[in-house]
Amino acid sequence: MHIQSIPMYGLDVGTGSSNNYAYLVTDEKSKDAVIIDPANPPEVAPVLKEQIDSGKINLTAIINTHHHWDHAGGNSKILSQFKGIPVIGGKDCEAVTRTPKHDETFKIGESVTVKALHTPCHTQDSICWLMEDGNERVVFTGDTLFIGGCGRFFEGTAAEMHTALNKTLAALPDDTKVYPGHEYTKQNVKFLSTVLQTEPVKKLESFAENNKETQGKFTIGDEKQYNVFMRVDDPTVQKATGKTDAVDVMAKLREMKNNILSLGPTNSIISAIKSNMSGADNITNEAVGNPVSTKSQVLETGAAAVQDFRPVKSICAHLNAYHVYASDPGRCVESNHYCTHLNEDVRQCLIYDSPDRNARLIGVEYMISASLYGTLPASERCLWHSHVFEVKSGMLIMPAPSVVPASVWEVAETKEMEEVVGLYGKTYHFWQVDRGDKLPMGEPELMMSFTGQEQFPKFKEVVTDRDKRFGADHELKAEKRKYIEEPEIHEDADSMWKSQSSADGEKKQGIGGINTSGAQILKDTHSSTNKTRRHTQLRVERDIGGIATFIECLRRYFNLASLSTLARPRGWRRQALANLEAVRIIKWSKGVMKILDGKQCQMHRSFKDSGRKMGSMG
């Protein structure tokens, strides 16, 4: 058995600092060979071609350790050059054709026996591959086991990682050589030394300092000596974690490693501060105030190196789209959402004006499933908007990281859009950066989404400019998303556009002989009303020909017990005098009544039963 490591530095575009490995494993007798995790074809394919053209190998399969793009993302391109070979790996791997069961075996050529070891945790389709040729044993561990470390628990639990490391892999013969998916040894050993100061740890540290590559140089037996994730029963490790149960120790170790970013605390702070402060003076925004001081930079960066920011770390998606002001549909603002999942039905997003380090926090958005939206009261539902047009038009994007191949990211983004298209959002902006505010001014603004391109006259111009900045193409995205089924949008959602449509209809017909719209009436007679009261006017505009809608909105707003209470002058005035803004709304309503005077209105049944006419409300 011959193993050739292929470092893939090019996966980190622009820096050449990636640390992934692909492995070419060949049965020396038959020359049959497999390529493991060929994530970056530009670096892997030339090696394969040279070996094939020279008659050194006969490529028989692609093998993947798990589905992440930096392991399986190159499968399709490799297959386009080396046709007809199977892809063996987890069920979610790109172009996979075969997923062996746990402990299932197969051969490479005549001599190499391969066994699939299912190790779910980092991903649920993670498989470690044990290969044996006579007395030689090796295991390709992907992102499950590293030299001196283990992978993050992205799709699994501490219990699953404990099983993967300390039951499945620990059961292998001690002389089994370890070939991980990444070169993380140098940073791993820095964490190990904070927990254990043993001779095996010191030897590993010395080797890592003097060798760029460590794959295949250490065994399962070695890992049991220094890898704290495989020493959960060690009293010293338990003391460091404050836990004694093996699974609890595993969980705490992972948490500790995440928190200090795999570096010793002192060096971490110092190096991070130096890195963070270089060029920091050049980072600016339009907020008023003095530049960030050196003291603040030191405190900020030092805290970031040692404190735990779990709520922020749980952010799992960056979305970019445009929000429109409910109070002024002529204004919209680009919004960068950084979202977390509270559960399968609720997401929450911080909204920034840009994706830059010094971006301004301008708002928040909550997203909920259609089933939850349906449980909301009608007065609440009209504050929420749909995402159908945003998704189907390609306006809503997940900006791609530079290190991820565009084709791979496009698939992931489109899958995310399948979920977002059915969600309802409630959004408030606090900082009106589009009008040049240097600080958050006034009260929060309710924001909506566009539901059609006609509402956004400069749609193509604005969105195309955005696309250039993010390397996106909204038209291509719209084409790829055609298959996404459009859910039925609840009639109470997107109320701003429905009220505007109704108002536009009234403008064409004229009300009481005056050629104007409900929105214009509100603007002319109530321009000084606080913007938060415009939520009420939006509801009135929806059906200004039906006075019952108007009464019901006011009743809900002032929390009056009944329509009859609203109709009684004393009850009305007593409630209104408690709030100056309420008095303004009453004055505005009188103006509306005068315009509507003499016009036949449809009355709500309960209003009819009261036996009162519209004029009695004056």
Side-chain angles (χ1 to χ4, degrees):
M1 176 169 53
H2 180 265
I3 300 171
Q4 179 178 351
S5 300
I6 306 175
M8 294 181 289
Y9 303 119
L11 276 174
D12 193 350
V13 178
T15 67
S17 61
S18 179
N19 46 36
N20 286 70
Y21 288 120
Y23 296 105
L24 179 62
V25 183
T26 306
D27 170 38
E28 295 177 287
K29 291 183 179 179
S30 66
K31 297 184 181 180
D32 285 353
V34 298
I35 183 69
I36 299 175
D37 288 351
N40 195 33
E43 291 179 294
V44 177
V47 176
L48 298 178
K49 187 175 186 306
E50 188 278 327
Q51 296 270 12
I52 293 171
D53 290 348
S54 64
K56 294 178 181 178
I57 68 168
N58 172 35
L59 188 63
T60 61
I62 295 172
I63 293 180
N64 290 138
T65 58
H66 61 293
H67 70 261
H68 282 167
W69 70 271
D70 59 333
H71 293 263
N75 290 353
S76 294
K77 286 189 177 180
I78 293 293
L79 290 172
S80 70
Q81 293 182 253
F82 307 97
K83 302 182 185 300
I85 59 175
V87 176
I88 304 171
K91 62 182 180 62
D92 296 321
C93 293
E94 182 179 294
V96 66
T97 56
R98 178 185 172 192
T99 301
K101 297 178 181 179
H102 178 63
D103 279 344
E104 184 178 337
T105 62
F106 59 92
K107 286 271 195 178
I108 300 174
E110 301 175 13
S111 305
V112 181
T113 301
V114 184
K115 179 183 287 189
L117 303 175
H118 287 219
T119 52
C121 181
H122 180 72
T123 66
Q124 284 300 301
D125 70 343
S126 290
I127 300 176
C128 294
W129 300 97
L130 172 66
M131 298 189 184
E132 297 180 278
D133 184 355
N135 294 324
E136 183 181 6
R137 302 179 188 86
V138 299
V139 62
F140 297 91
T141 56
D143 287 2
T144 296
L145 173 66
F146 301 122
I147 305 300
C150 72
R152 291 176 182 261
F153 309 165
F154 284 135
E155 297 180 11
T157 65
E160 286 179 311
M161 186 58 80
H162 174 56
T163 297
L165 298 182
N166 298 313
K167 296 182 180 179
T168 303
L169 294 179
L172 299 178
D174 281 350
D175 63 356
T176 306
K177 294 179 181 178
V178 178
Y179 287 83
H182 295 265
E183 183 55 63
Y184 287 159
T185 308
K186 188 173 291 187
Q187 65 191 57
N188 284 344
V189 78
K190 290 180 179 178
F191 171 67
L192 297 181
S193 63
T194 68
V195 180
L196 288 176
Q197 291 80 39
T198 59
E199 194 60 31
V201 171
K202 292 176 182 178
K203 287 182 178 179
L204 178 64
E205 182 176 25
S206 176
F207 187 91
E209 286 297 326
N210 294 288
N211 294 273
K212 185 177 180 180
E213 298 180 8
T214 61
Q215 76 282 16
K217 302 297 192 297
F218 297 92
T219 66
I220 289 294
D222 295 327
E223 293 298 311
K224 294 176 182 178
Q225 294 298 311
Y226 53 65
N227 192 330
V228 294
F229 294 96
M230 297 185 75
R231 295 184 63 83
V232 292
D233 294 327
D234 186 325
T236 304
V237 176
Q238 293 179 348
K239 182 179 179 180
T241 61
K243 308 290 183 181
T244 55
D245 177 78
V247 173
D248 291 340
V249 173
M250 177 67 72
K252 188 62 178 180
L253 286 170
R254 185 69 257 179
E255 180 185 335
M256 291 165 61
K257 189 164 191 290
N258 291 346
N259 288 346
I260 69 169
L261 304 176
S262 304
L263 296 170
T266 303
N267 290 338
S268 172
I269 296 173
I270 293 173
S271 60
I273 288 173
K274 288 180 179 178
S275 173
N276 197 36
M277 290 177 61
S278 60
D281 293 340
N282 297 322
I283 300 174
T284 61
N285 54 38
E286 296 180 8
V288 294
N290 295 319
V292 179
S293 67
T294 301
K295 176 184 176 182
S296 294
Q297 291 177 40
V298 171
L299 292 174
E300 175 185 294
T301 310
V306 295
Q307 283 190 299
D308 182 7
F309 302 120
R310 273 177 285 184
V312 179
K313 287 180 180 178
S314 65
I315 289 173
C316 59
H318 170 203
L319 303 173
N320 177 285
Y322 290 85
H323 289 156
V324 58
Y325 288 83
S327 62
D328 186 354
R331 294 170 59 200
C332 69
V333 61
E334 183 176 340
S335 303
N336 290 276
H337 309 58
Y338 292 86
C339 305
T340 64
H341 291 239
L342 291 183
N343 53 53
E344 283 301 304
D345 292 291
V346 183
R347 306 182 186 193
Q348 57 186 15
C349 307
L350 298 174
I351 301 173
Y352 291 85
D353 66 331
S354 81
D356 299 329
R357 178 172 171 266
N358 213 25
R360 290 168 289 184
L361 178 65
I362 61 175
V364 296
E365 177 168 359
Y366 299 95
M367 299 182 189
I368 61 174
S369 64
S371 58
L372 282 185
Y373 178 79
T375 67
L376 301 176
S379 58
E380 172 65 22
R381 287 197 296 264
C382 62
L383 302 178
W384 296 70
H385 60 265
S386 65
H387 293 95
V388 175
F389 173 73
E390 288 184 343
V391 170
K392 298 290 285 183
S393 67
M395 176 203 290
L396 183 63
I397 64 172
M398 288 176 62
S402 60
V403 298
V404 182
S407 59
V408 175
W409 189 256
E410 197 75 47
V411 173
E413 180 190 62
T414 305
K415 287 293 183 182
E416 176 70 6
M417 294 303 135
E418 292 177 3
E419 301 293 328
V420 176
V421 73
L423 301 179
Y424 291 88
K426 182 179 182 181
T427 306
Y428 281 94
H429 280 203
F430 318 120
W431 196 332
Q432 298 184 54
V433 294
D434 64 300
R435 68 180 186 185
D437 287 5
K438 305 300 184 184
L439 289 172
M441 305 291 287
E443 296 193 10
E445 285 278 352
L446 178 68
M447 309 297 284
M448 290 285 175
S449 65
F450 291 105
T451 60
Q453 193 165 327
E454 69 281 357
Q455 300 159 356
F456 196 171
K458 294 186 177 181
F459 174 87
K460 187 172 181 62
E461 175 186 342
V462 173
V463 177
T464 299
D465 178 71
R466 185 278 312 272
D467 287 351
K468 291 178 181 177
R469 286 184 278 112
F470 286 102
D473 184 339
H474 72 276
E475 293 180 339
L476 179 61
K477 293 181 186 298
E479 185 67 26
K480 289 182 177 294
R481 298 174 188 176
K482 278 186 176 180
Y483 78 92
I484 298 178
E485 185 177 351
E486 294 189 22
E488 182 178 354
I489 301 174
H490 196 286
E491 62 181 359
D492 290 340
D494 306 313
S495 61
M496 177 186 75
W497 300 114
K498 293 171 184 175
S499 63
Q500 179 150 342
S501 176
S502 176
D504 289 344
E506 292 291 351
K507 182 174 181 178
K508 292 177 183 178
Q509 297 174 14
I511 302 178
I514 298 177
N515 186 23
T516 185
S517 69
Q520 188 61 41
I521 295 170
L522 296 172
K523 183 177 180 180
D524 294 343
T525 63
H526 192 51
S527 60
S528 63
T529 301
N530 189 291
K531 288 179 180 178
T532 57
R533 305 300 185 257
R534 288 179 182 168
H535 302 170
T536 301
Q537 86 184 40
L538 290 174
R539 299 187 190 115
V540 175
E541 291 173 27
R542 182 186 293 185
D543 188 4
I544 201 165
I547 194 63
T549 302
F550 168 62
I551 295 173
E552 180 64 10
C553 287
L554 288 179
R555 183 187 72 76
R556 289 174 179 170
Y557 185 84
F558 294 115
N559 198 27
L560 298 179
S562 66
L563 292 174
S564 59
T565 302
L566 181 60
R568 287 198 298 271
R570 289 183 180 179
W572 173 291
R573 298 183 193 284
R574 184 165 54 251
Q575 185 70 35
L577 289 174
N579 188 318
L580 180 59
E581 293 304 319
V583 175
R584 291 178 181 171
I585 289 179
I586 294 168
K587 290 180 180 178
W588 162 75
S589 69
K590 289 180 179 179
V592 175
M593 294 311 131
K594 288 180 182 179
I595 293 173
L596 294 176
D597 190 28
K599 180 177 175 62
Q600 185 65 36
C601 297
Q602 268 192 320
M603 301 297 179
H604 189 277
R605 181 174 298 279
S606 61
F607 185 73
K608 283 183 176 180
D609 293 343
S610 71
R612 302 180 186 278
K613 295 183 179 179
M614 182 174 60
S616 68
M617 292 183 60

